[in-house]
Amino acid sequence: MIDYTKKMLRDDALQGKTIVVTGGGSGLGKAMSSYFMELGANVVITSRNLEKLNKVQKELNQLGSGSCLAIACDVRHIEEVEAMHKKVIETFKKVDVLLNNAAGNFIAPTERLSANAFDTIIDIVLKGTKNCTLTFGKHWINQKQQNTSVLNIVTTYASTGSGYVVPSATAKAGVLALTRSLSVEWAKYGMRFNAIAPGPFPTKGAWDRLLPEHIRDQFDVSKKVPLKRVGEHQELANLAAYLVSDFSAYINGEVITIDGGEWLQGAGQMNQLEQIPQAMWDQLEAAIRAKKRS
Ligand code: HXC
Ligand code: NAP
């Protein structure tokens, strides 16, 4: 039976592609990397913690026909990004896709943040994405390589902003602007740029920092979602695999929200009327119609 937890694309959908996933050793990065492997890609997983990456590399190498390579790389430092890129090219000869997924975040009232705390998030999310994009993009331009793409993981608050995660919201908004800007400027070099804006997808990294245990019981995130559930990692992986595959060759400059309707629930002015019991609507309708005659 087909449902949203199932794998969506044909088995060879990413055959022959080499894909670099920053932050590929945990959470959503690992879920996307695993599926890319299953679809025949070579996948390079990068982050700061090589020990963790090496374990994940062993797991991922059991999947699919491609191979997985783990490289330590702190995306904040351009020289580490350039060294990572060099190693990817030495190993696989070419790279086709960059997935900017690495991120840092934590909840805090903004007035409690030091300048360095703010910078740390901006550096990982915005500067890190810029470092990787510039390195990969310049290489593709120099090599005249066609049919390449960059997929950026943002959030729904990249568009709306959000209190208590202001450095992340600021940085993700920058990543969204980068996505849209380069989708136009660098299309002539055969590159596509797209973004995914996920709603709540439980991962240890995000939940430890955004929903710590002390407050976890008070905030049932699934209640905020019109579809009344959180996301499944496979459904995000399905979307990401499609966007980096050649099936999406005409999708460029798009941000696709996958959040069960969460952000629009907050946006629609009258959505709070959801709380009104069905039985009360007859009474309300009668009262409103009566006003027309008065
Ligand atoms: C206030 C804090 C803080 C906190 C750290 N800092 N935690 N300030 N409240 N809770 C301050 C520190 O005091 C320091 O400033 C500065 O931030 C840097 O902290 P370090 O620990 O030195 O930085 P570093 O070791 O580089 O770690 C980065 C990190 C950490 C972001 C702080 O959490 C991390 O490694 N995160 C990576 C994974 C992650 O965040 N995953 C979640 C992504 S979820 P001073 O001034 O003291 O030097 C996500 C979801 C989005 O993005 C949307 C969900 C709906
Ligand atoms: P996660 O597991 O904590 O992922 C973050 C990854 O980034 C980690 O693998 C981490 O690895 C890596 N990273 C952090 N700092 C880095 C640096 N300086 N250089 C290189 N890598 C670094 O959390 P996640 O939930 O899967 O998040 C993945 C992406 O989804 C992020 O972009 C996040 O903003 C986005 N997102 C998540 C949700 C959600 O509900 N989970 C919602 C919206 C958006 P190391 O610590 O080993 O470096």
Side-chain angles (χ1 to χ4, degrees), residues 22-30 32 46-50 52-53 73-77 80 100-105 120 123-125 128 152-157 168 172 196-207 209-210 233 236:
T22 68
S26 67
L28 302 181
K30 182 180 172 189
M32 293 185 281
T46 77
S47 83
R48 296 164 298 179
N49 182 341
L50 187 59
K52 175 181 79 180
L53 291 175
C73 170
D74 186 327
V75 291
R76 289 174 283 195
H77 305 302
E80 289 192 34
N100 286 304
N101 164 78
N105 201 0
T120 299
D123 285 355
I124 300 171
V125 176
N152 294 326
I153 306 300
V154 294
T155 64
T156 50
Y157 61 59
S168 170
K172 294 282 193 184
I196 295 178
F201 281 77
T203 64
K204 182 168 167 28
W207 260 228
R209 294 170 178 88
L210 302 175
H233 289 194
L236 183 87

Side-chain angles (χ1 to χ4, degrees), residues 63-165:
L63 310 168
S65 55
S67 59
C68 178
L69 175 68
I71 306 177
C73 170
D74 186 327
V75 291
R76 289 174 283 195
H77 305 302
I78 186 69
E79 60 288 352
E80 289 192 34
V81 171
E82 287 171 350
M84 174 269 281
H85 178 262
K86 189 163 176 267
K87 194 164 173 193
V88 173
I89 298 299
E90 278 166 11
T91 310
F92 294 108
K93 311 299 175 223
K94 72 167 177 67
V95 59
D96 305 281
V97 177
L98 166 66
L99 200 173
N100 286 304
N101 164 78
N105 201 0
F106 51 78
I107 48 167
T110 308
E111 65 275 18
R112 292 173 61 98
L113 296 174
S114 66
N116 186 42
F118 210 118
D119 285 349
T120 299
I121 305 305
I122 299 273
D123 285 355
I124 300 171
V125 176
L126 182 54
K127 189 173 160 191
T129 300
K130 176 272 294 177
N131 282 341
C132 293
T133 304
L134 212 49
T135 302
F136 283 62
K138 284 180 179 180
H139 172 83
W140 286 329
I141 293 167
N142 288 336
Q143 295 298 309
K144 298 192 167 48
Q145 187 179 338
Q146 295 290 306
N147 196 22
T148 54
S149 87
V150 177
L151 178 61
N152 294 326
I153 306 300
V154 294
T155 64
T156 50
Y157 61 59
S159 303
T160 61
S162 173
Y164 302 95
V165 282

